[in-house]
Amino acid sequence: MKFRKLLISSALVVSLIGGLAACGSKKTSESGKSGKTEIEFFSQKKEMQGTLSEVIKDFEKENPDIKVKFTNVPDAGTVLKTRIASNDVPDIINVFPQNADFREWAKAGIFADLTGKEYLKNLKEGSAETYAIDEKIYSVPLTSNAWGFYYNYTKFKELGLEEPKTWEDFETLVKTIKAKKETPFALSLTQADAWTLNGYHQLAWATINGGFEGANDALVHSEKGGIKTSNADFKQVTKELDLLDGNGQKNATGATYDDAIATFAKGEALIFPNGIWALPAIKNQQPKFEIKMFAYPGLKANEELTVGAADLALSINGKSKDKVAAEKFVAYMTTNEAMQKYYDVDGAPTSVKAVDTKGKFPETEGVTKYVFTDKQIVWLQKDWTSEEDFHHMTVEYINSQDENQLGKNLNTFFDGMKK
């Protein structure tokens, strides 16, 4: 799951809206010629485009009267905002229900109310209800992402290293790796890919403050200006962020997300902080070592956490002219036939009860075993009105080590959300 800040020129927006309007006209024309109902599925899962295309073909075979137009574009999040703003809403939308945009759109009537739908019974209990708004369900969350630390298990065994159980263990582990003339972390410390360390920073606040509620009590539910450099939790958070300073590969400050993946896959760094979504990209590099993961360590043993939320989550356009067909597709996506194929490639924990997950994706098991338990918190921005600036201040601090500036940035960011 990627988070990026993007600026679009007015000319590009106008061009984009015009192009999208043309696509809408084409949809009507093609539907009339074929005699089929055409629905549009807008995806934000670029890395799963091939698998989703196969799932769509399977659905179309079972439903020959329905044609699914699969939209998977670069900068999908920005494109989706543009389309919704111009009232060009796709029939089915992969939108992340933990985000502020989703809540605003749901309350504005953009999405259909799915409360009580029969296919929700195919999901694990509470999966959809987690993202309910005013006790109404607007999203079908099919998978959950999770964040943690990949590590080179083969090299760990060779060097006699073990997964850290506490934060102190983690600090010792990093020192030991350096003492053995190895590089601890594969990092991307550019502002363009600042989202890659969002989980790290959020989990620092959460493990120190007892979880989701405690972290947000300190950040967004505290008094204005209440985040102080003298606070004990602030001091510990910066101490944990400091673990990344000077412990990445030589080009970390200019490295992209793809560069960090390549560094880890080549064995040039032993730990890669990121989400389970990165596994396919790592494996595409054909690493010559066994991969495992561990969760973010707490101050004490058994206080480790992961953070994540719905990843492949589907909503339906509340004003779709083909809502029946759209519901058929969403219902199909909650079946074993669809989600087994998806899970076998993606490996993200799924809420679909019929999917067989036993013994699969051992690489990420050290983190995914906590999903849907009290060891996983939802991304903290579920209680925020925005999130992107938080990513950027994380990387800015790691690169500068300026505690006072981080304190100012955090207060500026969160004070705007406080009453």
Side-chain angles (χ1 to χ4, degrees), residues 227-250:
I227 304 170
K228 302 183 183 297
T229 59
S230 58
N231 291 350
D233 56 356
F234 184 93
K235 288 181 176 296
Q236 183 62 33
V237 166
T238 52
K239 180 183 179 185
E240 295 187 7
L241 290 172
D242 289 346
L243 191 64
L244 302 180
D245 177 46
N247 289 324
Q249 74 276 26
K250 289 182 180 179

PDB file of all heavy atoms in Angstrom, residues 227-250:
ATOM      1  N   ILE A 227       2.230  18.246  21.954  1.00  0.00           N
ATOM      2  CA  ILE A 227       3.325  17.331  21.633  1.00  0.00           C
ATOM      3  C   ILE A 227       4.633  18.065  21.907  1.00  0.00           C
ATOM      4  O   ILE A 227       5.044  18.939  21.142  1.00  0.00           O
ATOM      5  CB  ILE A 227       3.249  16.872  20.164  1.00  0.00           C
ATOM      6  CG1 ILE A 227       1.889  16.234  19.888  1.00  0.00           C
ATOM      7  CG2 ILE A 227       4.388  15.898  19.846  1.00  0.00           C
ATOM      8  CD1 ILE A 227       1.619  15.978  18.425  1.00  0.00           C
ATOM      9  N   LYS A 228       5.270  17.732  23.009  1.00  0.00           N
ATOM     10  CA  LYS A 228       6.451  18.465  23.450  1.00  0.00           C
ATOM     11  C   LYS A 228       7.693  17.573  23.412  1.00  0.00           C
ATOM     12  O   LYS A 228       7.629  16.381  23.713  1.00  0.00           O
ATOM     13  CB  LYS A 228       6.246  19.010  24.867  1.00  0.00           C
ATOM     14  CG  LYS A 228       5.028  19.931  25.003  1.00  0.00           C
ATOM     15  CD  LYS A 228       4.913  20.495  26.399  1.00  0.00           C
ATOM     16  CE  LYS A 228       3.646  21.342  26.534  1.00  0.00           C
ATOM     17  NZ  LYS A 228       3.665  22.508  25.637  1.00  0.00           N
ATOM     18  N   THR A 229       8.805  18.186  23.064  1.00  0.00           N
ATOM     19  CA  THR A 229      10.058  17.427  22.992  1.00  0.00           C
ATOM     20  C   THR A 229      10.475  16.888  24.355  1.00  0.00           C
ATOM     21  O   THR A 229      11.252  15.944  24.429  1.00  0.00           O
ATOM     22  CB  THR A 229      11.189  18.301  22.415  1.00  0.00           C
ATOM     23  OG1 THR A 229      11.350  19.456  23.248  1.00  0.00           O
ATOM     24  CG2 THR A 229      10.869  18.750  20.998  1.00  0.00           C
ATOM     25  N   SER A 230       9.947  17.491  25.410  1.00  0.00           N
ATOM     26  CA  SER A 230      10.292  17.034  26.759  1.00  0.00           C
ATOM     27  C   SER A 230       9.434  15.854  27.229  1.00  0.00           C
ATOM     28  O   SER A 230       9.733  15.233  28.246  1.00  0.00           O
ATOM     29  CB  SER A 230      10.139  18.186  27.756  1.00  0.00           C
ATOM     30  OG  SER A 230       8.812  18.690  27.739  1.00  0.00           O
ATOM     31  N   ASN A 231       8.365  15.540  26.474  1.00  0.00           N
ATOM     32  CA  ASN A 231       7.497  14.425  26.849  1.00  0.00           C
ATOM     33  C   ASN A 231       8.255  13.098  26.757  1.00  0.00           C
ATOM     34  O   ASN A 231       9.048  12.893  25.828  1.00  0.00           O
ATOM     35  CB  ASN A 231       6.268  14.355  25.948  1.00  0.00           C
ATOM     36  CG  ASN A 231       5.315  15.514  26.170  1.00  0.00           C
ATOM     37  OD1 ASN A 231       5.465  16.274  27.122  1.00  0.00           O
ATOM     38  ND2 ASN A 231       4.334  15.649  25.282  1.00  0.00           N
ATOM     39  N   ALA A 232       7.986  12.198  27.679  1.00  0.00           N
ATOM     40  CA  ALA A 232       8.690  10.912  27.698  1.00  0.00           C
ATOM     41  C   ALA A 232       8.439  10.114  26.425  1.00  0.00           C
ATOM     42  O   ALA A 232       9.371   9.488  25.881  1.00  0.00           O
ATOM     43  CB  ALA A 232       8.249  10.105  28.922  1.00  0.00           C
ATOM     44  N   ASP A 233       7.201  10.141  25.901  1.00  0.00           N
ATOM     45  CA  ASP A 233       6.928   9.357  24.694  1.00  0.00           C
ATOM     46  C   ASP A 233       7.629   9.960  23.480  1.00  0.00           C
ATOM     47  O   ASP A 233       8.153   9.233  22.626  1.00  0.00           O
ATOM     48  CB  ASP A 233       5.426   9.190  24.446  1.00  0.00           C
ATOM     49  CG  ASP A 233       4.665  10.496  24.348  1.00  0.00           C
ATOM     50  OD1 ASP A 233       5.257  11.577  24.538  1.00  0.00           O
ATOM     51  OD2 ASP A 233       3.438  10.422  24.078  1.00  0.00           O
ATOM     52  N   PHE A 234       7.694  11.291  23.413  1.00  0.00           N
ATOM     53  CA  PHE A 234       8.405  11.938  22.307  1.00  0.00           C
ATOM     54  C   PHE A 234       9.881  11.550  22.322  1.00  0.00           C
ATOM     55  O   PHE A 234      10.466  11.229  21.282  1.00  0.00           O
ATOM     56  CB  PHE A 234       8.262  13.456  22.389  1.00  0.00           C
ATOM     57  CG  PHE A 234       8.891  14.185  21.232  1.00  0.00           C
ATOM     58  CD1 PHE A 234       8.141  14.525  20.115  1.00  0.00           C
ATOM     59  CD2 PHE A 234      10.243  14.539  21.257  1.00  0.00           C
ATOM     60  CE1 PHE A 234       8.724  15.195  19.037  1.00  0.00           C
ATOM     61  CE2 PHE A 234      10.834  15.206  20.195  1.00  0.00           C
ATOM     62  CZ  PHE A 234      10.075  15.538  19.075  1.00  0.00           C
ATOM     63  N   LYS A 235      10.487  11.569  23.501  1.00  0.00           N
ATOM     64  CA  LYS A 235      11.899  11.208  23.616  1.00  0.00           C
ATOM     65  C   LYS A 235      12.153   9.769  23.156  1.00  0.00           C
ATOM     66  O   LYS A 235      13.143   9.481  22.467  1.00  0.00           O
ATOM     67  CB  LYS A 235      12.378  11.381  25.065  1.00  0.00           C
ATOM     68  CG  LYS A 235      12.520  12.823  25.513  1.00  0.00           C
ATOM     69  CD  LYS A 235      13.022  12.911  26.941  1.00  0.00           C
ATOM     70  CE  LYS A 235      13.272  14.344  27.370  1.00  0.00           C
ATOM     71  NZ  LYS A 235      14.353  14.984  26.586  1.00  0.00           N
ATOM     72  N   GLN A 236      11.235   8.850  23.517  1.00  0.00           N
ATOM     73  CA  GLN A 236      11.419   7.458  23.119  1.00  0.00           C
ATOM     74  C   GLN A 236      11.178   7.270  21.626  1.00  0.00           C
ATOM     75  O   GLN A 236      11.885   6.514  20.972  1.00  0.00           O
ATOM     76  CB  GLN A 236      10.476   6.545  23.917  1.00  0.00           C
ATOM     77  CG  GLN A 236      10.637   5.065  23.617  1.00  0.00           C
ATOM     78  CD  GLN A 236      12.010   4.505  23.955  1.00  0.00           C
ATOM     79  OE1 GLN A 236      12.651   4.957  24.907  1.00  0.00           O
ATOM     80  NE2 GLN A 236      12.470   3.522  23.184  1.00  0.00           N
ATOM     81  N   VAL A 237      10.194   7.976  21.078  1.00  0.00           N
ATOM     82  CA  VAL A 237       9.928   7.885  19.637  1.00  0.00           C
ATOM     83  C   VAL A 237      11.149   8.336  18.840  1.00  0.00           C
ATOM     84  O   VAL A 237      11.579   7.667  17.894  1.00  0.00           O
ATOM     85  CB  VAL A 237       8.690   8.720  19.240  1.00  0.00           C
ATOM     86  CG1 VAL A 237       8.621   8.897  17.720  1.00  0.00           C
ATOM     87  CG2 VAL A 237       7.415   8.039  19.725  1.00  0.00           C
ATOM     88  N   THR A 238      11.720   9.479  19.208  1.00  0.00           N
ATOM     89  CA  THR A 238      12.887   9.956  18.469  1.00  0.00           C
ATOM     90  C   THR A 238      14.074   9.010  18.651  1.00  0.00           C
ATOM     91  O   THR A 238      14.861   8.798  17.716  1.00  0.00           O
ATOM     92  CB  THR A 238      13.277  11.377  18.906  1.00  0.00           C
ATOM     93  OG1 THR A 238      13.421  11.428  20.335  1.00  0.00           O
ATOM     94  CG2 THR A 238      12.229  12.378  18.465  1.00  0.00           C
ATOM     95  N   LYS A 239      14.189   8.407  19.819  1.00  0.00           N
ATOM     96  CA  LYS A 239      15.249   7.427  20.038  1.00  0.00           C
ATOM     97  C   LYS A 239      15.084   6.249  19.080  1.00  0.00           C
ATOM     98  O   LYS A 239      16.064   5.739  18.510  1.00  0.00           O
ATOM     99  CB  LYS A 239      15.220   6.930  21.485  1.00  0.00           C
ATOM    100  CG  LYS A 239      16.292   5.887  21.800  1.00  0.00           C
ATOM    101  CD  LYS A 239      16.157   5.377  23.240  1.00  0.00           C
ATOM    102  CE  LYS A 239      17.214   4.312  23.535  1.00  0.00           C
ATOM    103  NZ  LYS A 239      17.038   3.719  24.885  1.00  0.00           N
ATOM    104  N   GLU A 240      13.842   5.821  18.860  1.00  0.00           N
ATOM    105  CA  GLU A 240      13.603   4.694  17.972  1.00  0.00           C
ATOM    106  C   GLU A 240      13.793   5.080  16.502  1.00  0.00           C
ATOM    107  O   GLU A 240      14.310   4.293  15.708  1.00  0.00           O
ATOM    108  CB  GLU A 240      12.208   4.124  18.242  1.00  0.00           C
ATOM    109  CG  GLU A 240      12.119   3.541  19.650  1.00  0.00           C
ATOM    110  CD  GLU A 240      10.831   2.804  19.964  1.00  0.00           C
ATOM    111  OE1 GLU A 240      10.004   2.607  19.040  1.00  0.00           O
ATOM    112  OE2 GLU A 240      10.645   2.417  21.137  1.00  0.00           O
ATOM    113  N   LEU A 241      13.403   6.303  16.153  1.00  0.00           N
ATOM    114  CA  LEU A 241      13.669   6.783  14.798  1.00  0.00           C
ATOM    115  C   LEU A 241      15.175   6.892  14.550  1.00  0.00           C
ATOM    116  O   LEU A 241      15.655   6.646  13.440  1.00  0.00           O
ATOM    117  CB  LEU A 241      13.000   8.139  14.570  1.00  0.00           C
ATOM    118  CG  LEU A 241      11.473   8.157  14.480  1.00  0.00           C
ATOM    119  CD1 LEU A 241      10.968   9.590  14.454  1.00  0.00           C
ATOM    120  CD2 LEU A 241      10.994   7.407  13.244  1.00  0.00           C
ATOM    121  N   ASP A 242      15.908   7.235  15.596  1.00  0.00           N
ATOM    122  CA  ASP A 242      17.362   7.392  15.482  1.00  0.00           C
ATOM    123  C   ASP A 242      18.061   6.093  15.094  1.00  0.00           C
ATOM    124  O   ASP A 242      19.194   6.119  14.599  1.00  0.00           O
ATOM    125  CB  ASP A 242      17.959   7.888  16.805  1.00  0.00           C
ATOM    126  CG  ASP A 242      17.608   9.335  17.102  1.00  0.00           C
ATOM    127  OD1 ASP A 242      17.128  10.027  16.180  1.00  0.00           O
ATOM    128  OD2 ASP A 242      17.797   9.762  18.262  1.00  0.00           O
ATOM    129  N   LEU A 243      17.414   4.982  15.311  1.00  0.00           N
ATOM    130  CA  LEU A 243      18.038   3.698  14.977  1.00  0.00           C
ATOM    131  C   LEU A 243      18.313   3.589  13.482  1.00  0.00           C
ATOM    132  O   LEU A 243      19.194   2.848  13.055  1.00  0.00           O
ATOM    133  CB  LEU A 243      17.142   2.544  15.434  1.00  0.00           C
ATOM    134  CG  LEU A 243      17.770   1.146  15.385  1.00  0.00           C
ATOM    135  CD1 LEU A 243      18.953   1.046  16.345  1.00  0.00           C
ATOM    136  CD2 LEU A 243      16.731   0.073  15.711  1.00  0.00           C
ATOM    137  N   LEU A 244      17.566   4.331  12.673  1.00  0.00           N
ATOM    138  CA  LEU A 244      17.758   4.288  11.222  1.00  0.00           C
ATOM    139  C   LEU A 244      18.871   5.221  10.763  1.00  0.00           C
ATOM    140  O   LEU A 244      19.419   5.042   9.671  1.00  0.00           O
ATOM    141  CB  LEU A 244      16.455   4.658  10.508  1.00  0.00           C
ATOM    142  CG  LEU A 244      15.240   3.787  10.814  1.00  0.00           C
ATOM    143  CD1 LEU A 244      14.036   4.275  10.020  1.00  0.00           C
ATOM    144  CD2 LEU A 244      15.519   2.317  10.507  1.00  0.00           C
ATOM    145  N   ASP A 245      19.199   6.218  11.579  1.00  0.00           N
ATOM    146  CA  ASP A 245      20.200   7.211  11.191  1.00  0.00           C
ATOM    147  C   ASP A 245      21.578   6.587  11.066  1.00  0.00           C
ATOM    148  O   ASP A 245      22.118   6.027  12.033  1.00  0.00           O
ATOM    149  CB  ASP A 245      20.238   8.340  12.231  1.00  0.00           C
ATOM    150  CG  ASP A 245      21.306   9.370  11.909  1.00  0.00           C
ATOM    151  OD1 ASP A 245      21.394   9.790  10.738  1.00  0.00           O
ATOM    152  OD2 ASP A 245      22.053   9.751  12.830  1.00  0.00           O
ATOM    153  N   GLY A 246      22.146   6.676   9.860  1.00  0.00           N
ATOM    154  CA  GLY A 246      23.486   6.167   9.630  1.00  0.00           C
ATOM    155  C   GLY A 246      23.586   4.658   9.549  1.00  0.00           C
ATOM    156  O   GLY A 246      24.695   4.115   9.444  1.00  0.00           O
ATOM    157  N   ASN A 247      22.446   3.967   9.585  1.00  0.00           N
ATOM    158  CA  ASN A 247      22.480   2.502   9.566  1.00  0.00           C
ATOM    159  C   ASN A 247      21.864   1.909   8.301  1.00  0.00           C
ATOM    160  O   ASN A 247      21.572   0.715   8.248  1.00  0.00           O
ATOM    161  CB  ASN A 247      21.755   1.952  10.794  1.00  0.00           C
ATOM    162  CG  ASN A 247      22.538   2.202  12.066  1.00  0.00           C
ATOM    163  OD1 ASN A 247      23.772   2.155  12.078  1.00  0.00           O
ATOM    164  ND2 ASN A 247      21.840   2.503  13.158  1.00  0.00           N
ATOM    165  N   GLY A 248      21.680   2.768   7.297  1.00  0.00           N
ATOM    166  CA  GLY A 248      21.209   2.290   6.003  1.00  0.00           C
ATOM    167  C   GLY A 248      22.354   2.153   5.019  1.00  0.00           C
ATOM    168  O   GLY A 248      23.520   2.416   5.350  1.00  0.00           O
ATOM    169  N   GLN A 249      22.029   1.739   3.809  1.00  0.00           N
ATOM    170  CA  GLN A 249      23.047   1.627   2.765  1.00  0.00           C
ATOM    171  C   GLN A 249      23.605   3.009   2.428  1.00  0.00           C
ATOM    172  O   GLN A 249      23.006   4.033   2.781  1.00  0.00           O
ATOM    173  CB  GLN A 249      22.469   0.936   1.518  1.00  0.00           C
ATOM    174  CG  GLN A 249      21.517   1.775   0.674  1.00  0.00           C
ATOM    175  CD  GLN A 249      20.085   1.782   1.172  1.00  0.00           C
ATOM    176  OE1 GLN A 249      19.828   1.593   2.344  1.00  0.00           O
ATOM    177  NE2 GLN A 249      19.151   2.007   0.251  1.00  0.00           N
ATOM    178  N   LYS A 250      24.727   3.063   1.743  1.00  0.00           N
ATOM    179  CA  LYS A 250      25.430   4.325   1.509  1.00  0.00           C
ATOM    180  C   LYS A 250      24.565   5.361   0.796  1.00  0.00           C
ATOM    181  O   LYS A 250      24.683   6.555   1.061  1.00  0.00           O
ATOM    182  CB  LYS A 250      26.713   4.069   0.714  1.00  0.00           C
ATOM    183  CG  LYS A 250      27.798   3.358   1.517  1.00  0.00           C
ATOM    184  CD  LYS A 250      29.062   3.186   0.691  1.00  0.00           C
ATOM    185  CE  LYS A 250      30.147   2.478   1.501  1.00  0.00           C
ATOM    186  NZ  LYS A 250      31.388   2.280   0.712  1.00  0.00           N
TER     187      LYS A 250
END
